[in-house]
Amino acid sequence: QPWRKIVIIVEGIYSMEGDVCNLPEIVRIKNKYKCYLYMDEAHSIGAMGASGRGIVEYYNMSPNDVDVLMGTFTKSFGSCGGYVAASRQVIDYLRSRSAGLMYTTAMSPGTAQQALTALNIMMGEGGTTEGVDRLRRLHDNTNYFREKLKEMGFQVFGYKDSPVTPVLLYNPAQIAAFSRGALKRGLAVVVAGFPATSLFKSRVRFCISGAHAREMLDWAL
């Protein structure tokens, strides 16, 4: 018997690789086989697209092409919590059936306002270009940092403009040593190894901000 419901689950940007999903091809497959598409935009919302609206905007596609869009307020928004965007039917179902929603408290007013303010900046409310300017600085900084690492001989993953910049460490024994060495020098980095990665593809992930000055990046390098 054929499957009645197939759900394709993807990430906008893959957190361990820095890769951007091929959304046009995924949507083509979804439409061909009558599937549902669920996309996690935790690392791409606020960081990709002309105005930071994520992978859908990055590919100039419609949000209607994705059945469920999920993201977090903890990264680009600088707050906590997250969101799910879908049809009214899906949202009503989640509100009434999701244990994670039913047994938790609401966001505090302060964190809700922080997320809302960040969203307004991204959307250019009030005629400001601050959101677009920050996004441009983020892309400039991440691309500069990634290219400099490659020039230094490191194996670097990740797509152009992707804010996730993973550098391979390979040997699992180097994970803790690299993290402690970076902290001792005043660098905050994220290290990852098995089972988050394959055994001999341990890595460090640099998280670049649009607020970093070029001098800061050169110092870190």
Side-chain angles (χ1 to χ4, degrees):
Q1 289 184 340
W3 294 96
R4 290 187 301 163
K5 289 184 179 179
I6 300 173
V7 181
I8 302 171
I9 302 176
V10 296
E11 294 184 55
I13 293 178
Y14 285 85
S15 60
M16 288 294 109
E17 307 292 334
D19 291 343
V20 176
C21 79
N22 187 349
L23 187 59
E25 179 64 12
I26 293 168
V27 170
R28 185 191 69 80
I29 293 171
K30 169 213 162 186
N31 292 334
K32 179 179 179 180
Y33 295 103
K34 307 292 190 295
C35 305
Y36 296 92
L37 177 57
Y38 179 110
M39 184 160 67
D40 178 354
E41 291 231 74
H43 291 274
S44 51
I45 189 69
M48 299 297 289
S51 62
R53 300 188 186 202
I55 298 301
V56 172
E57 185 182 48
Y58 178 75
Y59 283 111
N60 293 317
M61 299 178 70
S62 169
N64 294 328
D65 292 324
V66 183
D67 299 286
V68 180
L69 281 164
M70 187 210 82
T72 178
F73 292 141
T74 61
K75 295 180 173 65
S76 297
F77 295 86
S79 183
C80 68
Y83 66 89
V84 175
S87 67
R88 171 64 64 182
Q89 183 181 7
V90 171
I91 297 302
D92 286 344
Y93 183 87
L94 290 176
R95 281 175 171 160
S96 63
R97 303 294 179 90
S98 172
L101 182 64
M102 294 170 65
Y103 295 103
T104 56
T105 56
M107 294 172 65
S108 69
T111 56
Q113 184 61 60
Q114 167 64 28
L116 180 60
T117 299
L119 182 61
N120 287 337
I121 291 173
M122 290 178 196
M123 295 176 65
E125 293 291 330
T128 177
T129 62
E130 184 180 357
V132 176
D133 293 340
R134 289 189 182 199
L135 187 63
R136 185 186 67 253
R137 290 197 301 270
L138 173 62
H139 291 168
D140 288 346
N141 283 348
T142 53
N143 291 331
Y144 173 82
F145 197 77
R146 182 180 290 109
E147 291 306 312
K148 286 295 182 182
L149 286 169
K150 290 179 180 178
E151 290 175 11
M152 295 167 69
F154 292 100
Q155 184 167 352
V156 185
F157 287 168
Y159 276 39
K160 182 178 181 291
D161 292 340
S162 169
V164 178
T165 309
V167 177
L168 289 184
L169 299 176
Y170 295 106
N171 192 335
Q174 293 187 27
I175 298 175
F178 189 97
S179 178
R180 293 183 186 126
L183 183 60
K184 185 177 180 180
R185 291 164 175 80
L187 288 175
V189 298
V190 177
V191 290
F194 183 82
T197 70
S198 55
L199 187 58
F200 291 107
K201 286 192 177 179
S202 305
R203 64 199 62 184
V204 55
R205 194 180 71 188
F206 293 96
C207 300
I208 306 301
S209 167
H212 285 134
R214 188 59 54 88
E215 294 76 18
M216 296 176 181
L217 300 179
D218 289 335
W219 176 84
L221 290 162

